[in-house]
Amino acid sequence: MKNLILGILIAVLILSVNFNSFTTPIYKEKVVSCKETCTEQDVKNIRLLAEVIYFEARSEPTAGQAAVAWVVMNRTASKEFPKSIEKVVKQGTNKSCQFSYRCDNIKDVVVETASWKKAVVVATLVYNSKIPDPTYGAEYYLNPDKTKIRPNKAKSKTKIGNHLFYNL
């Protein structure tokens, strides 16, 4: 039932979004709208969350995409991480990024328009807290099929889609 409601909410949002209100540097078409009350910073934050969703979790179910975005949001609320979405997403160096797409030496180009638009919708919903946090406050995630790293001291593990969400 929860998935049905989430699906309907996303469908309604997709149908009501004006995809011509701002441009992202990685995808040259305008793809998201914001209510009149959104600031330029809000739009930037939504774009950054959409990037993380698109490049880290676009093949995941909606709940998995939302969970990845919630990790970013949870980090901004933690003492252990920067307080802004931009600083959380860009944290790290070329050899040790917090998000693998930021340092995989692959140019970040959106090639799947439908996946990008869905990422923007999910990012908007998460940013506005319209999707509850399915990770229960997780600040980390990994795909066990793609990494050999195993968090030995992980607490509160939750598996959503192909990702494992946890805290240290």
Side-chain angles (χ1 to χ4, degrees), residues 60-68 133-136 142 158-165:
E60 294 293 313
T62 303
Q65 292 180 357
V68 166
D133 180 2
T135 72
Y136 306 103
L142 60 84
T158 303
K159 186 157 175 40
I160 303 171
N162 293 316
H163 290 99
L164 181 64
F165 297 85

Side-chain angles (χ1 to χ4, degrees), residues 76-96:
T76 65
S78 169
K79 293 181 271 180
E80 305 298 318
F81 293 95
K83 297 296 174 214
S84 77
I85 290 173
E86 180 176 17
K87 287 181 180 178
V88 165
V89 171
K90 294 180 178 180
Q91 187 178 20
T93 65
N94 286 340
K95 294 182 182 181
S96 175

Side-chain angles (χ1 to χ4, degrees), residues 149-160:
I149 299 169
R150 294 292 181 265
N152 294 333
K153 297 180 181 181
K155 300 174 193 166
S156 63
K157 294 179 185 175
T158 303
K159 186 157 175 40
I160 303 171

Side-chain angles (χ1 to χ4, degrees), residues 23-124:
T23 303
T24 73
I26 58 166
Y27 185 65
K28 296 299 183 208
E29 295 199 18
K30 297 175 181 182
V31 293
V32 73
S33 71
C34 212
K35 293 181 180 176
E36 292 79 29
T37 58
C38 277
T39 66
E40 219 173 285
Q41 187 61 51
D42 292 328
V43 173
K44 185 177 183 178
N45 287 336
I46 291 168
R47 180 186 54 78
L48 286 166
L49 285 174
E51 280 183 23
V52 172
I53 292 167
Y54 181 85
F55 291 112
E56 296 278 321
R58 73 177 166 269
S59 65
E60 294 293 313
T62 303
Q65 292 180 357
V68 166
W70 269 109
V71 166
V72 175
M73 299 299 286
N74 293 337
R75 286 183 178 192
T76 65
S78 169
K79 293 181 271 180
E80 305 298 318
F81 293 95
K83 297 296 174 214
S84 77
I85 290 173
E86 180 176 17
K87 287 181 180 178
V88 165
V89 171
K90 294 180 178 180
Q91 187 178 20
T93 65
N94 286 340
K95 294 182 182 181
S96 175
C97 297
Q98 294 294 312
F99 299 95
S100 60
Y101 84 94
R102 302 282 309 165
C103 62
D104 60 8
N105 294 320
I106 298 171
K107 188 171 180 175
D108 299 327
V109 178
V110 171
V111 294
E112 297 174 20
T113 307
S115 295
W116 172 251
K117 287 180 179 180
K118 182 181 177 188
V120 170
V121 170
V122 173
T124 302

